[in-house]
């Protein structure tokens, strides 16, 4: 089991590693930086660095983890990348369905492929599907997400690179906001965040503020209006009908 430092999950599971950049949010991709580090350390799943690879041997791992937990699927890739065969994506979903005691969080920027494959995937209630959106130009990903079969749908608005005045939350169950962190981090303005928070509160959608980000994210922290915002969708709802 790989414990995660990401604030909104507990563990990570990477049956796919590696990716290619598709939009401005990818510019300082954390997974790319980490993959190169793991390659240098000789980790077998990263011998090809950030090139996309599927890993058969990792597929069954969640079935062996007995303690129920929240698992971020493919923190080091994008499950709906065009080079991941549909058959492999279906096997990932089969494992998530069988490992019903866990909660799985899948996040993609490839909302077109997500929408295309959705009718052919099982959508057990323990699978939460999200899309990443970094600026207004990519809000169409939210429209794609609304049309798929997942019962819990969420947004990762990170790295937030601009305001989202066009954001609407009908059919959305959870909103995460975060600024970019690390070398070369691009700034996130407070009014972009407060506007999204107001939209979330008006729509009664749980709001999770992950971080301000910046070059030193520990220094900027994760307080908004003097407190943390760690709201999540109700667990009882997510596990109904598994
Ligand atoms: S989609 Fe995600 S994993 Fe892929 S390059 Fe962009 S930020 Fe990195």
């Amino acid at each position: 089991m790989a414990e995660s430092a990401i604030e909104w999950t507990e563990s990570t599971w990477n049956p796919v590693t590696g990716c290619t950049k598709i939009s401005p949010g990818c510019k300082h991709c954390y997974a790319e930086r980490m993959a190169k580090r793991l390659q240098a350390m000789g980790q077998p799943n990263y011998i090809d660095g950030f090139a996309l690879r599927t890993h058969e041997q990792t597929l069954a791992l969640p079935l062996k983890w007995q303690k129920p937990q929240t698992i971020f699927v493919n923190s080091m890739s994008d499950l709906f990348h065009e080079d991941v065969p549909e058959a492999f994506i279906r096997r990932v979903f089969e494992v998530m369905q069988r490992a019903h005691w866990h909660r799985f969080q899948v996040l993609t920027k490839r909302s077109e492929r997500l929408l295309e494959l959705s009718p052919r995937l099982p959508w057990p209630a323990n699978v939460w599907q999200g899309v990443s959106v970094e600026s207004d130009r990519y809000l169409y990903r939210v429209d794609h997400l609304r049309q798929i079969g997942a019962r819990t749908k969420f947004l990762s608005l990170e790295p937030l690179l601009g305001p989202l005045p066009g954001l609407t939350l009908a059919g959305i169950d959870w909103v995460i906001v975060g600024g970019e962190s690390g070398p070369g981090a691009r700034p996130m303005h407070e009014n972009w965040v407060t506007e999204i928070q107001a939209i979330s509160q008006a729509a009664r959608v749980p709001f999770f503020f992950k971080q301000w980000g910046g070059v030193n994210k520990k220094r900027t922290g994760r307080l908004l209006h003097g407190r943390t915002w760690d709201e999540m969708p109700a667990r009882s709802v997510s596990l109904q009908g598994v």
Side-chain angles (χ1 to χ4, degrees):
M1 169 174 46
E3 283 185 20
S4 174
I6 299 169
E7 289 79 357
W8 46 261
T9 196
E10 292 174 323
S11 308
T12 54
W13 170 46
N14 282 290
V16 184
T17 58
C19 196
T20 50
K21 301 184 179 192
I22 58 157
S23 62
C26 299
K27 185 174 180 189
H28 298 129
C29 176
Y30 171 83
E32 182 183 34
R33 278 206 309 267
M34 184 58 80
K36 287 181 176 163
R37 207 177 301 165
L38 293 169
Q39 181 183 32
M41 288 162 61
Q43 282 267 353
N45 284 4
Y46 298 91
I47 48 174
D48 297 319
F50 199 48
L52 192 137
R53 296 288 179 263
T54 56
H55 302 285
E56 291 269 335
Q57 76 284 5
T58 65
L59 271 175
L61 287 178
L63 296 165
K64 296 178 187 156
W65 301 338
Q66 289 175 1
K67 183 179 154 232
Q69 57 205 283
T70 304
I71 300 171
F72 179 23
V73 182
N74 285 333
S75 61
M76 296 295 288
S77 183
D78 184 335
L79 183 63
F80 292 93
H81 189 284
E82 54 277 18
D83 292 344
V84 183
E86 180 178 339
F88 194 85
I89 295 173
R90 292 180 62 84
R91 291 176 69 192
V92 170
F93 270 77
E94 279 160 23
V95 171
M96 296 193 290
Q97 191 169 30
R98 284 173 59 202
H100 55 82
W101 56 95
H102 299 309
R103 181 181 308 109
F104 293 93
Q105 298 163 323
V106 184
L107 191 55
T108 187
K109 285 191 176 74
R110 271 88 176 172
S111 59
E112 297 91 340
R113 190 158 187 232
L114 168 67
L115 183 60
E116 181 201 331
L117 298 188
S118 173
R120 304 199 287 278
L121 296 171
W123 288 104
N126 64 328
V127 173
W128 296 8
Q129 178 65 54
V131 294
S132 297
V133 173
E134 63 266 54
S135 68
D136 230 27
R137 184 174 164 194
Y138 299 97
L139 278 175
Y140 66 84
R141 294 175 183 155
V142 185
D143 292 327
H144 290 162
L145 181 68
R146 280 190 247 273
Q147 298 172 56
I148 67 152
R151 279 178 254 181
T152 301
K153 299 172 184 168
F154 69 100
L155 307 181
S156 172
L157 309 177
E158 181 192 359
L160 189 64
L161 300 177
L164 297 180
L167 179 68
T168 58
L169 294 176
I172 302 302
D173 303 292
W174 191 28
V175 171
I176 302 165
V177 176
E180 190 166 51
S181 60
R186 293 160 284 183
M188 177 175 71
H189 296 186
E190 183 169 348
N191 60 314
W192 303 347
V193 182
T194 51
E195 187 177 62
I196 293 166
Q197 186 188 30
I199 293 169
S200 302
Q201 286 181 338
R204 297 178 184 273
V205 172
F207 175 82
F208 193 106
F209 184 58
K210 181 165 171 268
Q211 61 182 35
W212 286 107
V215 176
N216 182 350
K217 72 172 190 173
K218 287 208 175 95
R219 192 176 58 76
T220 52
R222 51 190 306 266
L223 297 181
L224 175 64
H225 309 313
R227 54 161 280 197
T228 52
W229 299 85
D230 291 338
E231 296 166 359
M232 292 188 81
R235 290 176 182 217
S236 55
V237 171
S238 73
L239 294 176
Q240 277 169 8
V242 170

